[in-house]
Amino acid sequence: MTEAGGRRRALALVAAAQLLAMSVWFSAGAVQADLQARWDLDAARAGWLTSAVQAGFVAGTAAAALLNLADLLPARWYVSVSILLAALANAALAGAGGFGSAMGARFATGVFLAGVYPPAMKMVATWFRRGRGLAIGILIASLTVGKAVPYLMSALLGEARLVVLGASCLAAAGAVLVAAGYADGPHAFARHPFSWRLAGDVLADRPTRLAIGGYLGHMWELYAMWAWIPAFLAASFGAAGMGEPAGRAAALAAFAAVAAGGAGCVWGGWRADRIGRERLVTQAMAASGGCALLIGALYGMSPWVTSALAVAWGFFVVADSAQFSTLVTELAPRHGVGTALTLQTSLGFLLTVVTLQLVPALAERFGWRWSFAALALGPAAGIAAIARLARQRRVPAGAPVLNSGPPSR
């Protein structure tokens, strides 16, 4: 097989595995109404079933960054075993007897997913020098669609247990794909001896730090939008007079909004490789921040119009995600790329715990009309960080971003 054929095969395999694996992320959120009724949960405790995954992911990525796992362990086995353990932890939710055991299952799911998402970006980077932005964009597109899958399963299957166990079965299939078919590409990053100082060395690099700062602004918005857009749409459709069909219609609209991010990621990768990553992420954050400010004004209005803006928001809210990670692969010290990606995601997901709890609190106090506006603060801060990065790198307007590693072939 030619190198070009090998690149396409590796990207397709990793992307498919990630789509399947990430179906466990929002499996509780997709059946939230059922779990609330079963265990008599208020909105805050229901929100913690999603926040627990984020918290587990933060704990897992922090430990992985400290221990340099993504730069020490063979990616094939590190990722495949992590996916399988995440599938088993998610399946435990189906048998949970109450809120406490459900929280434990969701936290464990997040811990194991820490060995799936960050290393996958490094896996793709070993196959691509030229076109890396698009390649990682396709990978993040697969992750995005995978996270939308439970909402589709909920709309089609309805029964909570089937949704949860179905997501675990999909993830287990992803583990088999990686274990059976993946190998590192010709541009693998050099391994480095274990060092307690590696995470600190990554943060000491100012360009890497600014790229991570832009990512944090992006993450302030992203997961709160993904987690709470179904509840917002259900409430909005109900206020518009849809009646009983509002719940299923909202689930389908939420699936469309989250899944639209898959197309956004591919568009973002294609455009970033042409106009530069700094320009692309600035454009995407400006668009998504605008959607966060505007969508509340459509509350209770035509479900078609509200859904259209939600889909546009879903497209732009994640269109920049892969480009922050691509910047880190280009800017971070070459021996610590895996640790840098893991650290970036750890800090970003730690921040999401705040906004996942903030949105329902704002909705309860001020109503859904105002609940998402605060999310626009993240893109504003992210744009400021990326502007400083662009000035430091002295990238002319419109110039493509060059890889700071070895020349492209």
Side-chain angles (χ1 to χ4, degrees):
M1 184 182 294
T2 64
E3 183 176 330
R7 284 200 303 268
R8 289 193 293 271
R9 178 185 178 279
L11 179 58
L13 185 148
V14 176
Q18 294 295 299
L19 188 154
L20 296 170
M22 289 299 156
S23 64
V24 303
W25 196 294
F26 284 125
S27 59
V31 296
Q32 181 173 299
D34 180 272
L35 299 180
Q36 280 186 272
R38 186 187 308 174
W39 297 323
D40 192 26
L41 305 178
D42 58 19
R45 290 212 297 168
W48 272 109
L49 289 175
T50 297
S51 295
V53 181
Q54 315 292 113
F57 188 86
V58 170
T61 49
L66 188 63
L67 297 174
N68 311 170
L69 296 183
D71 291 309
L72 292 176
L73 299 179
R76 177 184 178 186
W77 298 113
Y78 181 34
V79 172
S80 59
V81 171
S82 295
I83 295 175
L84 183 59
L85 292 174
L88 293 172
N90 182 70
L93 177 65
F99 178 69
S101 55
M103 283 286 288
R106 301 308 290 151
F107 183 85
T109 301
V111 169
F112 296 127
L113 286 174
V116 180
Y117 172 24
M121 293 183 284
K122 184 181 176 184
M123 290 161 73
V124 168
T126 69
W127 283 95
F128 290 85
R129 282 182 175 168
R130 190 182 303 277
R132 184 178 291 179
L134 178 58
I136 295 182
I138 291 170
L139 176 66
I140 303 302
S142 73
L143 302 178
T144 301
V145 175
K147 289 176 181 179
V149 163
Y151 295 119
L152 180 61
M153 294 172 70
S154 178
L156 297 178
L157 302 176
E159 210 278 312
R161 186 180 177 87
L162 290 178
V163 173
V164 172
L165 293 178
S168 287
C169 289
L170 292 177
V176 172
L177 265 182
V178 176
Y182 176 77
D184 280 337
H187 311 304
F189 297 92
R191 292 197 181 178
H192 191 270
F194 171 77
S195 171
W196 289 110
R197 297 177 53 188
L198 187 55
D201 291 344
V202 166
L203 286 178
D205 182 73
R206 190 166 188 266
T208 304
R209 199 165 63 244
L210 287 172
I212 291 174
Y215 177 78
L216 294 181
H218 153 78
M219 290 297 282
W220 173 268
E221 179 188 22
L222 177 62
Y223 274 81
M225 182 273 181
W226 276 352
W228 291 108
I229 198 66
F232 170 85
L233 291 172
S236 180
F237 292 0
M242 278 195 74
E244 190 173 330
R248 177 157 291 198
L252 288 172
F255 167 74
V258 177
C265 289
V266 176
W267 170 81
W270 172 82
R271 186 160 174 79
D273 282 340
R274 284 154 180 77
I275 69 169
R277 310 210 195 287
E278 288 94 337
R279 286 188 66 192
L280 181 280
V281 300
T282 298
Q283 291 173 0
M285 284 190 286
S288 64
C291 290
L293 291 172
L294 289 173
I295 198 164
L298 299 183
Y299 180 82
M301 296 180 66
S302 164
W304 290 105
V305 175
T306 307
S307 296
L309 184 58
V311 169
W313 191 10
F315 181 94
F316 287 110
V317 76
V318 73
D320 51 355
S321 186
Q323 304 317 308
F324 291 113
S325 300
T326 305
L327 278 170
V328 168
T329 69
E330 294 172 342
L331 297 171
R334 300 293 292 170
H335 62 281
V337 168
T339 295
L341 289 167
T342 305
L343 185 62
Q344 176 198 44
T345 52
S346 182
L347 294 172
F349 280 85
L350 179 62
L351 189 61
T352 67
V353 176
V354 176
T355 49
L356 279 168
Q357 297 304 119
L358 176 64
V359 168
L362 291 174
E364 189 171 347
R365 184 173 179 84
F366 302 109
W368 278 113
R369 219 176 267 281
W370 304 101
S371 57
F372 285 130
L375 297 184
L377 294 172
I383 288 171
I386 293 302
R388 289 195 293 274
L389 175 62
R391 285 196 298 271
Q392 173 159 338
R393 299 182 76 193
R394 298 195 180 119
V395 178
V401 173
L402 300 177
N403 191 332
S404 63
S408 299
R409 294 179 184 173

